[in-house]
Amino acid sequence: MPIKYQKTKTLITKPNNNSANCIAPNLIYGCFGGCVSTYCYMSRYNGDRVFVNENVDDIFNSVVEWEKTYKKVPDQQDPKYTMVDIACNSDLVLMQKHMPKPLIDYLKRYDDHPRLNTTMATKYPSLLKLDVNHFNKKPRVRVSLMPQSYSDILEPKMQKISDRIQDINRLKSLGWEVHINYSPVVIHKGFITKYDSLFKEVKDVAGENKCEVIFLTNHKYQMLKASEEARQMMSMSNQVKNQQGVMRYELGLKSKGITHFKEQYSKYFNLETIRYIF
């Protein structure tokens, strides 16, 4: 997969109300992860291209300028700090060796800022070795999980789910704030039984953690790229929502899925640990 090094002109920090308070301009747009041919929303239009943006100062300054006009209040993102998603369109843990500067240098910029903190999701927590115990505040990493049998089809050749769960406590010992990212939740025959087993393993190995829950969003372009087995697994997310071809679960089906997910989750964890679910 080709990599293009450039200076991005898209220096827009975007407000967000889910994983973070805002999304930083891309350090890297594109990824080598195994989900690019199934559910990855970034690859719907990007294909197999990877862009590495070298103007790190400009990217960080865009966030700093945006924050000056933002009034932070305690919210589900964080009670104190303005949370910045620094990896919306790539898995920076996987892609960190391609960054123009070391990941820890970029994280430290936010740590030195009195009001900003970082969050990013990864499916490769074993590659995150950075000790951040010396930081002023804990950066957040969201470890993405789904049942292993689903991951085998939708995330081929990626870090095994059990290994990701094992990494949660290791990352905490390195000074990270760790949340779980149940994303995407796939409604499929017997899915509640699969998630029950997943919850039990998380409880036994990593205990209770805050989490976010996002049900699968599908897309016509992704369905064209996916394997037959992956298309079958994603087939219930088939209600077209807009002219761009975005597909989601039918509202009634999704509502039932959320109810069943929460019922099963509550057998192992306090429902208040779910930061958001949709």
Side-chain angles (χ1 to χ4, degrees):
M1 188 181 297
I3 300 178
K4 180 180 179 180
Y5 291 86
Q6 62 178 22
K7 291 186 177 180
T8 182
K9 297 179 181 179
T10 310
L11 295 166
I12 301 173
T13 297
K14 300 178 181 179
N16 187 255
N17 193 35
N18 294 323
S19 298
N21 296 115
C22 68
I23 299 172
N26 294 309
L27 276 171
I28 298 179
Y29 185 73
C31 190
F32 295 148
C35 58
V36 293
S37 293
T38 54
Y39 60 79
C40 176
Y41 77 91
M42 175 277 305
S43 69
R44 294 171 186 170
Y45 306 104
N46 185 53
D48 294 332
R49 298 171 298 174
V50 174
F51 300 92
V52 176
N53 296 318
E54 298 180 299
N55 48 333
V56 176
D57 290 340
D58 294 335
I59 291 169
F60 177 70
N61 288 335
S62 170
V63 179
V64 171
E65 290 301 313
W66 179 88
E67 191 273 337
K68 289 178 180 178
T69 62
Y70 179 72
K71 183 174 176 59
K72 172 68 180 184
V73 296
D75 52 27
Q76 62 87 5
Q77 285 89 356
D78 192 82
K80 182 177 180 180
Y81 297 111
T82 299
M83 299 303 298
V84 184
D85 192 332
I86 61 170
C88 184
N89 289 301
S90 188
D91 188 326
L92 283 189
V93 175
L94 173 64
M95 303 295 288
Q96 60 185 303
K97 66 181 179 181
H98 302 290
M99 291 178 62
K101 293 184 179 181
L103 175 57
I104 198 163
D105 290 357
Y106 191 62
L107 295 170
K108 196 66 177 70
R109 293 168 184 254
Y110 289 93
D111 187 57
D112 290 339
H113 192 283
R115 296 178 299 278
L116 297 175
N117 201 2
T118 57
T119 179
M120 59 181 177
T122 184
K123 300 178 180 69
Y124 297 88
S126 65
L127 300 179
L128 188 55
K129 310 290 188 182
L130 303 178
D131 189 322
V132 293
N133 280 300
H134 61 290
F135 274 33
N136 298 307
K137 46 189 180 282
K138 292 178 180 290
R140 181 181 300 163
V141 61
R142 291 135 41 218
V143 177
S144 299
L145 302 178
M146 65 170 58
Q148 184 62 58
S149 61
Y150 293 3
S151 180
D152 289 341
I153 296 169
L154 299 177
E155 305 172 341
K157 301 179 181 179
M158 296 176 79
Q159 184 178 344
K160 294 298 183 182
I161 298 299
S162 291
D163 293 341
R164 298 184 207 180
I165 296 170
Q166 290 286 345
D167 275 317
I168 290 173
N169 288 332
R170 180 185 64 83
L171 290 173
K172 289 178 182 178
S173 72
L174 291 175
W176 291 84
E177 178 187 1
V178 184
H179 291 190
I180 292 175
N181 179 34
Y182 293 108
S183 171
V185 176
V186 180
I187 298 177
H188 194 254
K189 183 179 180 180
F191 86 104
I192 288 300
T193 300
K194 298 284 189 180
Y195 278 92
D196 180 82
S197 297
L198 178 61
F199 297 150
K200 184 179 187 304
E201 184 176 2
V202 172
K203 179 74 170 181
D204 291 345
V205 175
E208 188 168 75
N209 300 272
K210 290 185 178 180
C211 72
E212 56 190 28
V213 185
I214 306 171
F215 279 66
L216 174 69
T217 297
N218 205 348
H219 195 277
K220 62 180 183 181
Y221 293 162
Q222 293 302 99
M223 291 296 273
L224 292 174
K225 293 192 292 183
S227 68
E228 178 60 35
E229 198 172 15
R231 287 198 296 270
Q232 194 279 329
M233 181 162 282
M234 297 188 293
S235 63
M236 296 180 74
S237 176
N238 59 8
Q239 188 173 80
V240 179
K241 292 294 183 179
N242 56 35
Q243 292 182 343
Q244 285 71 44
V246 173
M247 297 183 289
R248 297 190 175 96
Y249 292 114
E250 184 274 324
L251 189 59
L253 175 63
K254 186 173 183 179
S255 179
K256 290 178 181 177
I258 289 173
T259 297
H260 292 321
F261 184 98
K262 291 170 69 175
E263 286 175 350
Q264 211 65 27
Y265 183 90
S266 67
K267 295 179 180 179
Y268 299 92
F269 309 109
N270 190 325
L271 283 174
E272 292 184 359
T273 59
I274 298 178
R275 290 176 47 217
Y276 64 89
I277 181 169
F278 66 85

